[in-house]
Amino acid sequence: MADELNGPLDPGRRGIKGLILVGIVAALVAVAIAIWTRPREEPLAPPAPVAGASVAPSPVRSAAAAEVTVYVTGKVKRPGVIALPLGSRVVDAIMAAGGLKKGAEPGGLNLARRVIDGEQIAVGDPAAAAAPPPAVAESGVVSLNSATVDQLDQLPGVGEVLAQRIVEYRDTNGGFQSIEQLREVEGIGEAKFADLKDQVTL
């Protein structure tokens, strides 16, 4: 009776091993299918540009170079009002005006002198060159734009160091445009400016 029960339904040891092997293969196939069919993360696409929008370039500030403006007249090829870089000399102004006319002479001008903003440079005019504006007037008033260090040193409360600073400021800024600019010179406060403003001129 026991043999009958175990007969056709008993797979035997080989059958059990076969079933186990089939189960393992089925499990591996199921795992492979699950891995293959699982959803994949797609990278996000970059946002589409808005129509009509443009990326404005960052503004770049270009600092304009400081200039002085002079009026060149006389025996030059192109007389007129000329803008020059700060710190230019009389010779630079003459060259910017086209240079001397053929056979002309500068007329006693100091070609190495720094030009002052707003001045007139008369080329080849002996009278204009021989009679420059006095650095110190008869009244004792000193010209900030033409006085030497020694002449500025004679002003009340101004020593050699401060006189040198005034000349350096004049050369750096193309001359004094107003007496009030003395306040910008290092070492000249309100009290010293009050003492000097009636003793100087442009």
Side-chain angles (χ1 to χ4, degrees):
M1 187 70 176
D3 293 337
E4 292 178 358
L5 293 175
N6 296 330
L9 298 177
D10 185 6
R13 292 182 178 179
R14 292 183 178 178
I16 293 173
K17 291 180 178 180
L19 291 175
I20 293 173
L21 182 61
V22 170
I24 293 173
V25 172
L28 292 175
V29 171
V31 170
I33 293 174
I35 293 174
W36 182 261
T37 58
R38 71 177 180 179
R40 298 180 181 180
E41 295 182 0
E42 296 292 336
L44 295 177
V50 180
S54 60
V55 179
S58 56
V60 178
R61 292 185 179 181
S62 55
E67 295 181 338
V68 291
T69 303
V70 297
Y71 179 32
V72 183
T73 62
K75 299 179 180 180
V76 290
K77 296 178 181 178
R78 295 191 301 271
V81 177
I82 298 173
L84 297 168
L86 190 64
S88 295
R89 313 277 178 167
V90 172
V91 65
D92 299 320
I94 294 174
M95 295 305 296
L100 293 170
K101 291 182 177 179
K102 186 176 181 179
E105 297 292 336
L109 288 173
N110 179 3
L111 300 180
R113 178 178 62 80
R114 290 180 185 270
V115 299
I116 300 171
D117 186 56
E119 76 166 298
Q120 178 179 350
I121 301 173
V123 182
D125 185 351
V136 181
E138 294 181 2
S139 60
V141 178
V142 177
S143 171
L144 293 174
N145 284 328
S146 58
T148 64
V149 173
D150 291 337
Q151 290 167 333
L152 292 169
D153 190 8
Q154 303 304 314
L155 290 169
V158 177
E160 182 179 353
V161 174
L162 187 53
Q164 183 64 44
R165 290 176 184 170
I166 294 173
V167 172
E168 289 175 356
Y169 179 92
R170 179 177 71 197
D171 292 344
T172 302
N173 295 276
F176 286 88
Q177 309 306 312
S178 67
I179 294 175
E180 283 71 22
Q181 283 183 290
L182 268 178
R183 291 191 178 99
E184 300 176 14
V185 178
E186 182 183 354
I188 298 181
E190 290 300 324
K192 190 175 292 295
F193 174 74
D195 294 337
L196 292 175
K197 65 179 181 178
D198 296 330
Q199 304 294 322
V200 295
T201 185
L202 300 179

